[in-house]
Amino acid sequence: MMNKITAMIGTGALVLSSSAFSQSVSIDFSDPHPGEGIGYEWTVKMSHANSKAMTAEFVRHVGAKSSYEPAFSSPEIGWNHTSDWVALSLNEDSLLTIEVNNQRGVQYTTVNPEGQVTQHTAGRGHFPGIAFYSGYDNTSTESHSFNPLGNFWATQLNWITAGYDQKGQHGDVKRRAKIQLIVPAGLYSLNIGGVNALYCEPQMPCFDGRHGYKATITAEPVPVSNQ
């Protein structure tokens, strides 16, 4: 049986945590080191206690081209400030599965310099992209762009892998980026963005703007056959 925790973003953040025996998951819409290094949107801590799989889910929105901006120079083709960073802590060695899907109906607000608050609904045309690194960053000076396919200016991070939606299907369909791997206990950084420029023309609504996503992270004991 799987234990699941969910956080939904509307106009704010809902923070939930749960524990069963020594198993636990916490999801915080916060930065573990505010004002230091990369600006993380989420902090997720997971412990399966070598027992049952634990899952964290959360919903928000990112820029359409936040994982791949064709106007940028390689290798730093990602938009740092329009993507979401997740600080992930794993208490045990884990079989880790990360899946990000497009999500309809995500609400968010903006505030202009005059203090006027505007309610928005994020676009539903998200083509997800993800990049996964070992380590947290709390020392670097942020830059506008970053490399989702390798190491970059955040020297505390070491690139592990990446994934993106490879079908490019339009319409009311499920689009996803997914990775699965075995990792040791420790600290990790996950970047969530979009690769819409691969599949959308400039005149299409999905080419620009903010688009909704749902992220699902599952940590479970490493299978005996892999130990």
Side-chain angles (χ1 to χ4, degrees):
M1 182 177 178
M2 182 180 296
N3 290 296
K4 182 180 292 187
I5 311 297
T6 304
M8 300 289 290
I9 286 294
T11 56
L14 174 63
V15 178
L16 301 174
S17 64
S18 176
S19 63
F21 304 105
S22 56
Q23 294 178 292
S24 63
V25 171
S26 68
I27 307 169
D28 293 301
F29 188 62
S30 65
D31 188 331
H33 303 285
E36 300 177 350
I38 285 175
Y40 291 88
E41 280 67 39
W42 297 96
T43 299
V44 178
K45 299 178 181 180
M46 308 184 74
S47 174
H48 53 67
N50 294 309
S51 180
K52 300 175 182 178
M54 300 293 290
T55 292
E57 291 183 341
F58 48 92
V59 172
R60 215 175 87 91
H61 50 89
V62 291
K65 297 178 286 184
S66 45
S67 290
Y68 171 54
E69 169 53 78
F72 287 177
S73 298
S74 180
E76 293 191 359
I77 58 174
W79 286 64
N80 180 39
H81 297 105
T82 63
S83 60
D84 274 4
W85 285 95
V86 182
L88 174 64
S89 172
L90 299 175
N91 202 50
E92 299 88 14
D93 298 351
S94 299
L95 172 60
L96 183 68
T97 305
I98 299 173
E99 181 171 338
V100 176
N101 298 106
N102 54 310
Q103 178 67 43
R104 299 178 64 174
V106 178
Q107 303 291 313
Y108 68 99
T109 58
T110 57
V111 182
N112 68 15
E114 289 72 39
Q116 181 182 3
V117 177
T118 304
Q119 184 78 18
H120 305 270
T121 299
R124 60 185 186 181
H126 187 221
F127 290 87
I130 53 179
F132 190 60
Y133 309 79
S134 63
Y136 281 7
D137 173 62
N138 63 350
T139 61
S140 67
T141 299
E142 283 194 293
S143 177
H144 185 60
S145 59
F146 77 102
N147 183 5
L149 300 175
N151 293 332
F152 58 102
W153 41 262
T155 56
Q156 289 179 287
L157 305 187
N158 285 293
W159 184 83
I160 297 175
T161 189
Y164 66 97
D165 181 88
Q166 299 186 33
K167 293 184 177 180
Q169 295 179 327
H170 290 264
D172 191 17
V173 297
K174 185 176 182 178
R175 296 180 286 273
R176 73 172 186 177
K178 181 179 180 179
I179 58 174
Q180 185 177 67
L181 66 168
I182 294 172
V183 293
L187 305 179
Y188 297 90
S189 294
L190 168 66
N191 182 269
I192 300 173
V195 295
N196 290 32
L198 292 175
Y199 305 118
C200 302
E201 298 297 329
Q203 70 274 15
M204 299 171 67
C206 60
F207 187 76
D208 283 311
R210 308 285 298 186
H211 294 266
Y213 73 81
K214 181 176 79 170
T216 304
I217 303 175
T218 301
E220 56 190 298
V222 176
V224 175
S225 59
N226 294 101
Q227 294 179 2

